[in-house]
Amino acid sequence: MPRVLMVYPEFRSASFWNYRDTCQLIDARYPAAPLGLITVAAMLPPAWEVRLVDRNVETLEQGDLEWADLIFTGGMLPQQVDCLELIHRGRSLGKTVVVGGPDATSSPHVYEEASHLILGEAEVTLPSFLEDLARGEARPVYQDPAKANVQASPTPRFDLLRLERYNHIGVQWCRGCPFNCEFCDIIELFGRVPRAKTPEQILLELQRLHDLGYRGHVDLVDDNFIGNKKLVKQFLPHLKTWLEERNWPFEFTTEASINLADDAELMRLMREVGFFAIFVGIESPDEETLYAMQKRQNTKRSIAESVEKFYQAGFFVNAGFIIGFDTERSSVARGIISCIEDTSVPAAMVGLLYALPNTQLTRRLATEGRLHADSDRQPAGEGDQCTAGINFDPCRSRANILRDYLTVIETVYAPRSYFGRVARVGRMLDSSRRRYRPSLGRWAREARGFFRMAVRMRGPAFVPFARAFLGTLVRNPRSIRYVGALCGLYVHFGPFSRYVATRIRDAIAREELQPARIAVASRH
């Protein structure tokens, strides 16, 4: 039987998302496990021998490659550089290298050195490849635009993971998002009709994690957890019963659109099963820009009031912001800073606009002649959209966009500003009625993490950190674990924001040395 090596490429580029230093506080090595790859592993014939190497938490040895008959790999755009090197390394050893995932699906021409490309959703295209492979007739490319029936998707091979190496483990309940944001590739890859697993199916996945001894943080990695509110409301009572029967082994995070704030019943149901944080794409506080990017769900509302409802429901908020849209004005930096402060969101993932392959934005920019050549190639060493964004000709001058971005980064990640927001979250976050209780082992890890964090909060960060942490301990002790987590994120965010600021200053200097360039005169 074939021996299969599943290799998850490394996220080499520095990013707000890759908070390794924070993970190390609690003896983890990386934030998240490779859910897509272990789901593909579950689709392989049971008799095949399968190994997994996650390059983000372990070293890929030469012996691993020599052992394998087949190498399966693939990932997202920030993994592209490592993935291409892996393909070349495997092919030079004469190995059959099979590649899939979102980046290969969006830019298959980038991965031409692979032996086989499995494009689209694996549940649709992988079976045909496996059938042809068994006959010795496998084709170079398998592609099908059909959307998978996720209710036929298998339980991921969680047993392949070293669970203790990750800050959290992901499961997926639903694919797709009903909205139509111009810059987003989710709707291109997975469609606008959310497709959900059955309650029994997702509970079986959680049971598998439970049987393997995992306890703690589970991230529902859905593109938009509330894409179909009716299905969510039907599912959550099943989850609550399952958790009650097992003495509440998990607590949850997810990504959701901001219109969750409009549904008090749904927030109550999420609170009852132990959700403690959500990621929300705010993108911009400017309504004209939101309409232009087709993110209408964020308009006609007070962003600050919506976020406050999340705190009252017991969820702290991580939020995304983007700079570089055509409709922006010179006040964009001031507006984003005010929005971040008004919402008290500590973990504000601020990036430059990046035209992802096969999005509405990319197609429009290409039609307008504004898209840069090789815009689908990830520059080696760049910090994803934080320093590699604006891969097109913008309407404003690039230097002005970069100056606005620099202003935002240096302001919101200054220690006093960051921990001021943490302190406000510590006052507002309602953590009463939480049922999840960490084990003694988990408490010990978190206690060690706190002392390690405190040691690293040297210099100007220490006093604001101490005020935020101790203030929460006095005023709202039920929320101290979550405030501690937000403080711990600064172990990564502080140095990373300074890294980004240095890179952006260098980019501004390069822009100023170049001959004057005329920005795009009209807004198409």
Side-chain angles (χ1 to χ4, degrees):
M1 288 292 117
R3 293 179 296 190
V4 179
L5 182 66
M6 317 288 292
V7 185
Y8 195 53
E10 184 180 5
F11 286 87
R12 287 207 187 155
S13 56
S15 168
F16 275 114
W17 299 104
N18 296 349
Y19 46 94
R20 297 175 193 261
D21 289 346
T22 297
C23 292
Q24 290 169 3
L25 297 175
I26 56 169
D27 299 317
R29 298 189 184 182
Y30 198 71
L35 179 61
L37 204 56
I38 61 173
T39 303
V40 170
M43 300 176 196
L44 301 179
W48 286 18
E49 187 175 356
V50 180
R51 292 182 185 175
L52 171 70
V53 174
D54 180 354
R55 298 257 297 132
N56 297 286
V57 300
E58 57 197 325
T59 302
L60 175 64
E61 304 289 351
Q62 184 72 9
D64 296 320
L65 296 171
E66 292 174 349
W67 169 86
D69 299 312
L70 295 165
I71 299 170
F72 277 64
T73 189
M76 296 181 283
L77 180 62
Q79 296 169 282
Q80 186 185 99
V81 172
D82 193 57
C83 190
L84 293 176
E85 290 182 9
L86 171 65
I87 294 167
H88 181 74
R89 189 175 170 187
R91 294 288 281 159
S92 67
L93 293 173
K95 304 296 181 178
T96 298
V97 182
V98 183
V99 178
D103 193 46
T105 297
S106 296
S107 305
H109 58 283
V110 174
Y111 294 88
E112 290 177 343
E113 192 177 359
S115 309
H116 306 282
L117 293 177
I118 313 300
L119 309 179
E121 297 188 52
E123 293 93 340
V124 175
T125 50
L126 185 62
S128 296
F129 166 72
L130 295 175
E131 291 172 5
D132 290 350
L133 184 69
R135 294 194 301 266
E137 300 174 356
R139 304 190 306 272
V141 179
Y142 289 79
Q143 188 168 20
D144 191 324
K147 304 306 178 190
N149 174 12
V150 297
Q151 296 185 6
S153 189
T155 298
R157 288 284 308 275
F158 295 116
D159 58 295
L160 294 174
L161 301 173
R162 297 283 295 274
L163 296 169
E164 72 280 359
R165 293 182 171 181
Y166 300 97
N167 178 62
H168 61 261
I169 303 299
V171 298
Q172 185 182 59
W173 176 63
C174 186
R175 287 183 204 167
C177 178
F179 298 112
N180 196 34
C181 304
E182 185 191 40
F183 60 87
C184 183
D185 62 350
I186 291 299
I187 55 177
E188 308 295 332
L189 291 166
F190 301 116
R192 294 184 60 193
V193 179
R195 293 162 285 139
K197 296 176 181 176
T198 65
E200 295 76 16
Q201 193 176 3
I202 195 69
L203 294 180
L204 184 62
E205 295 185 17
L206 293 175
Q207 185 63 51
R208 181 60 177 145
L209 278 173
H210 188 273
D211 291 344
L212 289 168
Y214 183 75
R215 302 291 185 273
H217 180 180
V218 173
D219 184 40
L220 284 156
V221 301
D222 299 7
D223 310 313
N224 183 353
F225 180 65
I226 65 162
N228 187 320
K229 292 184 179 181
K230 180 180 178 181
L231 290 179
V232 181
K233 291 177 180 178
Q234 292 171 353
F235 163 61
L236 290 176
H238 293 277
L239 177 58
K240 181 181 179 182
T241 299
W242 187 91
L243 291 165
E244 286 175 331
E245 292 171 349
R246 289 157 184 81
N247 197 26
W248 303 91
F250 303 133
E251 58 181 350
F252 301 95
T253 57
T254 195
E255 178 174 352
S257 45
I258 201 166
N259 59 315
L260 170 61
D262 305 332
D263 196 323
E265 179 191 6
L266 182 49
M267 288 192 290
R268 176 184 61 80
L269 291 170
M270 291 175 64
R271 177 187 185 128
E272 288 180 350
V273 299
F275 280 86
F276 68 88
I278 56 173
F279 177 85
V280 176
I282 293 177
E283 322 309 358
S284 174
D286 179 65
E287 291 227 340
E288 181 185 358
T289 298
L290 290 170
Y291 277 112
M293 71 174 81
Q294 299 173 189
K295 201 173 183 79
R296 292 176 176 83
Q297 66 271 25
N298 284 27
T299 63
K300 298 180 180 178
R301 67 170 64 245
S302 164
I303 299 293
E305 289 178 6
S306 296
V307 172
E308 185 175 353
K309 290 180 182 179
F310 296 143
Y311 297 141
Q312 293 169 352
F315 320 136
F316 72 75
V317 177
N318 303 321
F321 294 85
I322 303 175
I323 294 178
F325 291 101
D326 287 351
T327 52
E328 287 175 355
R329 295 176 173 82
S330 59
S331 59
V332 62
R334 184 169 63 253
I336 289 179
I337 292 167
S338 295
C339 183
I340 292 171
E341 291 298 324
D342 291 345
T343 56
S344 300
V345 172
M349 317 297 194
V350 187
L352 294 167
L353 182 61
Y354 193 100
L356 293 166
N358 292 331
T359 58
Q360 297 171 77
L361 172 65
T362 296
R363 291 191 288 272
R364 175 171 67 81
L365 293 171
T367 299
E368 295 169 358
R370 299 168 56 192
L371 191 66
H372 290 176
D374 294 330
S375 63
D376 51 6
R377 299 274 181 169
Q378 176 69 13
E382 288 291 351
D384 60 34
Q385 76 275 19
C386 297
T387 55
I390 316 297
N391 56 342
F392 57 93
D393 294 331
C395 287
R396 291 198 294 148
S397 79
R398 184 179 303 273
N400 285 341
I401 293 173
L402 294 176
R403 289 189 192 97
D404 285 334
Y405 183 52
L406 178 63
T407 298
V408 173
I409 291 295
E410 292 191 314
T411 302
V412 302
Y413 281 103
R416 182 175 296 180
S417 178
Y418 182 86
F419 287 107
R421 299 195 301 276
V422 171
R424 294 195 295 276
V425 171
R427 291 193 293 271
M428 291 186 288
L429 186 65
D430 184 356
S431 296
S432 62
R433 299 190 299 278
R434 292 200 187 278
R435 304 291 297 275
Y436 170 76
R437 293 292 181 268
S439 65
L440 289 176
R442 181 71 187 187
W443 271 119
R445 287 177 66 186
E446 292 183 2
R448 287 196 301 272
F450 168 76
F451 287 111
R452 291 167 179 167
M453 172 178 64
V455 168
R456 297 187 62 170
M457 292 294 180
R458 304 185 184 96
F462 183 78
V463 171
F465 151 70
R467 285 175 177 166
F469 192 87
L470 295 175
T472 303
L473 193 60
V474 171
R475 299 185 184 95
N476 188 11
R478 290 179 179 271
S479 294
I480 196 63
R481 287 185 63 241
Y482 306 104
V483 166
L486 292 170
C487 291
L489 283 172
Y490 197 74
V491 171
H492 167 68
F493 288 156
F496 182 69
S497 63
R498 293 190 290 273
Y499 160 82
V500 170
T502 299
R503 296 293 297 270
I504 295 300
R505 284 195 203 93
D506 291 343
I508 293 171
R510 289 194 299 272
E511 288 291 320
E512 291 174 341
L513 288 173
Q514 292 179 3
R517 294 186 297 180
I518 300 175
V520 176
S522 61
R523 291 177 179 168
H524 301 270

